[in-house]
Amino acid sequence: MNRHPERKELIWGVLLTGLLYLPFLNKAVHIDDPVVLRVTENVLENPLDPFAGGIDWFGSIEPFWKVTTNPPFLSYYLAPFAAVSGGVEVILHLAMLPFVLILILGLLSLGRRFSGSAFWPAIFVAASPAVVVSLNLMRDVPAMAVSVVGIALFVDGIDRDLPRRVALGSLTAGLAVVIKYSAVVLLPLLFLYVLLRGPLRRLLVASGSLLPLAIWSIFSAWRYGQAHPAYLMMGQIPGQGREWGEHSFAAVLIVGCSLLLAPLLARNA
């Protein structure tokens, strides 16, 4: 009888994940990777001005902060690796690999909590086309990984009444939002879980998940004259022609899809 099933699941998860992603380590920079690298270069030149300069992304040069649609946290993470490696693709892709590994850790934790099997749900997600081919320099997988780990920490903290773990989970989930704004749609799950499990005083701790976004909004307002998240919601991105109403509709749609998990939480709370 295996006395350490969690350790065995973790070892196999890490090994299989490594095998899945090794073939993609030398993938060429493509799609939105250049935008992330541009922000990384800006961070290396001036950490207080990640959106410096202009960029031609839609056919004309526009201020970079008005064109980019995501926050810069991932570029801050990549900056040391880019500085040491000179931007070598293999090194940068290796730097992204930990996000996939922590995604596995978070999925194993949530799988043990909400289903009878932790290993196969984790491998199913890690081996999905949306993740396997995403060992690039874009923000999707890192944001998902940090979100999942944050939610896993938060759930474990609530279940075992560990206030520090609840706080750590809240902050970690919030960090995902400054990797990719769309990660904000998962934050309502934290508040929902508190409502289902209690105690209600943990709602205040859950609100800490909004802190990273608040700090970035204040900083970007100081640096660029307008909070970047607010600009994207209320303004018009050059070259796209979409008004705030269209962005709001997309946000409502994404939130609605995310809350499909609510019945699962309610059933297993």
Side-chain angles (χ1 to χ4, degrees):
M1 181 177 178
N2 185 8
R3 296 183 179 181
H4 303 284
E6 296 181 6
R7 184 183 302 175
K8 183 178 179 180
E9 289 172 346
L10 175 60
I11 293 172
W12 276 108
V14 169
L15 288 175
L16 290 176
T17 300
L19 289 175
L20 284 171
Y21 288 93
L22 283 177
F24 299 97
L25 288 179
N26 201 31
K27 183 192 293 185
V29 170
H30 69 313
I31 312 178
D32 287 344
D33 288 352
V35 177
V36 177
L37 288 176
R38 168 65 183 278
V39 180
T40 303
E41 292 169 0
N42 287 342
V43 168
L44 290 173
E45 292 180 8
N46 183 358
L48 295 180
D49 194 6
F51 292 161
I55 188 172
D56 182 358
W57 197 252
F58 297 109
S60 62
I61 297 178
E62 301 284 350
F64 191 90
W65 75 271
K66 289 188 174 182
V67 175
T68 187
T69 57
N70 283 289
F73 188 77
L74 179 62
S75 291
Y76 281 96
Y77 166 79
L78 287 174
F81 299 97
V84 171
S85 69
V88 174
E89 290 157 335
V90 173
I91 301 300
L92 293 176
H93 287 142
L94 280 172
M96 297 291 282
L97 191 57
F99 289 111
V100 184
L101 299 178
I102 67 171
L103 174 62
I104 290 291
L105 289 174
L107 290 170
L108 288 172
S109 176
L110 292 175
R112 283 190 291 268
R113 172 62 180 85
F114 293 107
S115 74
S117 171
F119 179 75
W120 290 113
I123 294 301
F124 176 81
V125 174
S128 67
V131 178
V132 168
V133 297
S134 294
L135 190 65
N136 45 44
L137 305 180
M138 288 178 265
R139 308 165 186 90
D140 306 85
V141 171
M144 177 170 61
V146 175
S147 294
V148 167
V149 169
I151 292 172
L153 288 169
F154 186 87
V155 167
D156 186 57
I158 291 293
D159 288 348
R160 298 201 285 160
D161 194 22
L162 301 172
R164 291 184 180 180
R165 185 159 297 188
V166 174
L168 178 60
S170 297
L171 184 60
T172 302
L175 286 175
V177 182
V178 290
I179 295 176
K180 189 175 179 66
Y181 288 131
S182 56
V184 75
V185 302
L186 293 176
L187 298 189
L189 292 175
L190 304 182
F191 295 91
L192 176 62
Y193 198 70
V194 174
L195 292 174
L196 293 172
R197 294 280 297 180
L200 293 182
R201 66 178 182 275
R202 298 290 184 232
L203 286 173
L204 181 60
V205 183
S207 65
S209 61
L210 302 174
L211 186 60
L213 181 61
I215 293 174
W216 164 240
S217 296
I218 293 170
F219 173 82
S220 59
W222 165 76
R223 185 76 222 194
Y224 304 109
Q226 189 173 357
H228 192 244
Y231 164 76
L232 293 178
M233 288 299 298
M234 304 302 294
Q236 181 175 318
I237 301 173
Q240 288 193 2
R242 290 190 293 178
E243 301 292 343
W244 71 269
E246 296 177 69
H247 290 289
S248 300
F249 178 79
V252 170
L253 179 63
I254 294 171
V255 170
C257 292
S258 300
L259 290 179
L260 290 174
L261 295 174
L264 179 64
L265 287 175
R267 177 185 175 188
N268 291 276

